[in-house]
Amino acid sequence: MLPELAASPESSHTVKMLGIIEQWDAASGNHTDNTDKYLLLMLFKLGLDAVALHLCCRKRFTSFLSMCSLSIVLADLVMVLLLAGVWFLGPERYLVSLCFILAKASKTYEALPLPMTCLGFLDYCLEDSNLCKQSMPCKYIRNAVLTLLVWMLAVFYSFVSATSDLMELDYVTGVRALVCDVEESALITYFILGLFAVVICTMLPYWSMIPQWLKEADRLSEAREEQENQSSDLLFTSTNCTETKSGMENNLEETVQPYPPLWFSLTLGFSIFWMPYLTVSVGCLILGYGVPAYITVNLLWLECANSFLMGVVFWVNSKSQGPYSQLPENVCLWHVYWHLSRGTQQQQLPVAVFNPSKAKRNTLLYV
């Protein structure tokens, strides 16, 4: 991407992002076509998004944002196929030019973040209401229709506002380049900078206690995994149940004090997973690396926004529901950090216990 300073009626200096399509060096006579570089860039993004979809979306399509994640991967695949067609056939024999694909794609992706985050937040807010208590097939259809509607509006917006005309630049060094106007996502830039600043500011007052709380969170997470492994077995003896219960009580006595506030505990759970992504993104912004919207609107950003929105809704609902929410699973362990703020152990699940003295009777015990 090549930034260019250009005059505009609104301000004396407006930064435009330009994608270099081709360039020539008059001194050496070299000609460079960047179509293959754009193709490799989109292949890398497609692979990254596919891995993020596999790791982060555990229960696919149960929420609106999970359906949006799938749609972004499919859109990346379509863009890869279009770029591959331009690369193999050449711009003269292909239906559309490389500039057309980049300009329309950047405008389309730029229009996605706002409606996706708003509808995703509304979906989570209404999760426990009667309006969203639907069967799974109805949820799939609803999410698919809403996602398709968002993409249709974004594509329509790109065809109305995006310009796909090639521009020629001549440099004093003798280099001549054909460039295309592309867009970056200002909303994602503000989102990343604001979220990074908020996380850093909230961490500072409790900086000395964070290592101790993280150790306690890891202990609670391990206890939760052990409980899930035990509850997956159908046959337990009463002796094992008693031992498990006493072990839980001992763990309760080892809980650290003081406990973090709930809002900070949830912020800590969010930052542990997403702070590396936010740090790298802020570093790129500080160094001035211009990235177009069809790259920045990816699954890492969407899942980060998903975790943030889900954490806010979980925090609000926890005042009345505690950790028992109907929100879908997330990479951030909200339940663990809720218990961390309360200094309590995970609520035990019912486990089927086989009683040998009553051969045809299973008793449910809470251990």
Side-chain angles (χ1 to χ4, degrees):
M1 294 306 122
L2 178 68
E4 178 201 15
L5 292 178
S8 68
E10 293 81 10
S11 61
S12 57
H13 296 284
T14 302
V15 177
K16 298 179 67 176
M17 185 177 293
L18 302 175
I20 302 177
I21 307 300
E22 298 179 67
Q23 62 183 16
W24 296 265
D25 191 343
S28 61
N30 292 332
H31 170 258
T32 304
D33 186 358
N34 292 323
T35 304
D36 56 340
K37 296 181 178 63
Y38 286 107
L39 177 58
L40 291 175
L41 186 64
M42 284 306 303
L43 281 173
F44 175 77
K45 187 204 174 189
L46 176 61
L48 183 65
D49 285 349
V51 172
L53 179 67
H54 175 72
L55 296 178
C56 297
C57 298
R58 301 177 182 179
K59 292 185 177 180
R60 297 177 177 86
F61 323 134
T62 56
S63 66
F64 171 74
L65 287 179
S66 65
M67 188 68 72
C68 290
S69 299
L70 176 64
S71 69
I72 289 180
V73 174
L74 295 178
D76 292 342
L77 178 61
V78 171
M79 193 169 176
V80 166
L81 294 177
L82 292 175
L83 293 176
V86 175
W87 184 51
F88 283 117
L89 300 178
E92 298 82 8
R93 292 182 295 172
Y94 201 62
L95 297 177
V96 292
S97 65
L98 178 60
C99 181
F100 179 88
I101 297 174
L102 296 180
K104 301 302 181 184
S106 62
K107 273 292 183 181
T108 301
Y109 279 87
E110 181 197 12
L112 294 176
L114 184 60
M116 282 187 175
T117 51
C118 291
L119 290 176
F121 183 67
L122 182 62
D123 181 39
Y124 288 148
C125 290
L126 299 178
E127 185 69 30
D128 295 323
S129 65
N130 294 326
L131 295 175
C132 289
K133 289 183 179 179
Q134 302 171 339
S135 61
M136 281 300 174
C138 292
K139 285 187 176 182
Y140 294 156
I141 295 174
R142 181 198 65 192
N143 295 333
V145 170
L146 288 176
T147 304
L148 183 60
L149 180 61
V150 169
W151 276 98
M152 290 175 60
L153 293 176
V155 171
F156 176 77
Y157 169 74
S158 69
F159 276 89
V160 171
S161 58
T163 58
S164 56
D165 298 329
L166 283 172
M167 296 174 285
E168 185 174 331
L169 296 180
D170 292 319
Y171 296 93
V172 293
T173 57
V175 177
R176 185 164 58 93
L178 286 178
V179 298
C180 178
D181 188 9
V182 294
E183 300 288 339
E184 62 178 343
S185 178
L187 180 62
I188 290 183
T189 301
Y190 298 144
F191 174 85
I192 291 175
L193 289 175
L195 196 55
F196 180 82
V198 168
V199 171
I200 291 296
C201 292
T202 55
M203 292 293 173
L204 291 178
Y206 302 95
W207 189 259
S208 60
M209 293 295 297
I210 289 178
Q212 188 177 1
W213 287 335
L214 288 179
K215 291 180 181 179
E216 178 65 13
D218 290 339
R219 189 183 66 80
L220 290 175
S221 180
E222 291 176 359
R224 181 192 183 196
E225 292 178 358
E226 291 177 0
Q227 177 194 340
E228 290 177 349
N229 293 334
Q230 291 176 356
S231 62
S232 62
D233 298 330
L234 295 179
L235 299 179
F236 287 94
T237 63
S238 59
T239 303
N240 290 337
C241 293
T242 305
E243 293 177 353
T244 303
K245 185 174 182 179
S246 61
M248 293 298 180
E249 292 174 351
N250 293 333
N251 287 336
L252 279 173
E253 296 175 356
E254 299 173 0
T255 305
V256 297
Q257 291 185 1
Y259 314 128
L262 178 59
W263 63 269
F264 179 82
S265 184
L266 297 180
T267 304
L268 184 62
F270 172 86
S271 62
I272 289 302
F273 195 90
W274 290 112
M275 202 57 184
Y277 163 74
L278 294 176
T279 303
V280 172
S281 300
V282 170
C284 292
L285 293 174
I286 293 175
L287 295 176
Y289 293 144
V291 184
Y294 56 80
I295 299 298
T296 55
V297 181
N298 51 49
L299 254 65
L300 287 178
W301 168 80
L302 186 61
E303 290 300 328
C304 179
N306 182 26
S307 296
F308 172 72
L309 296 176
M310 193 179 296
V312 172
V313 176
F314 183 89
W315 174 62
V316 174
N317 291 345
S318 64
K319 297 179 180 179
S320 58
Q321 301 177 2
Y324 310 106
S325 176
Q326 300 299 322
L327 296 174
E329 291 185 14
N330 189 254
V331 292
C332 299
L333 303 177
W334 304 122
H335 298 79
V336 171
Y337 286 91
W338 185 93
H339 286 282
L340 175 64
S341 67
R342 296 296 187 268
T344 58
Q345 186 56 264
Q346 298 281 336
Q347 177 69 29
Q348 303 307 308
L349 299 175
V351 178
V353 179
F354 180 73
N355 191 339
S357 61
K358 300 178 180 180
K360 295 185 179 181
R361 180 180 176 185
N362 286 337
T363 307
L364 288 179
L365 297 180
Y366 286 85
V367 295

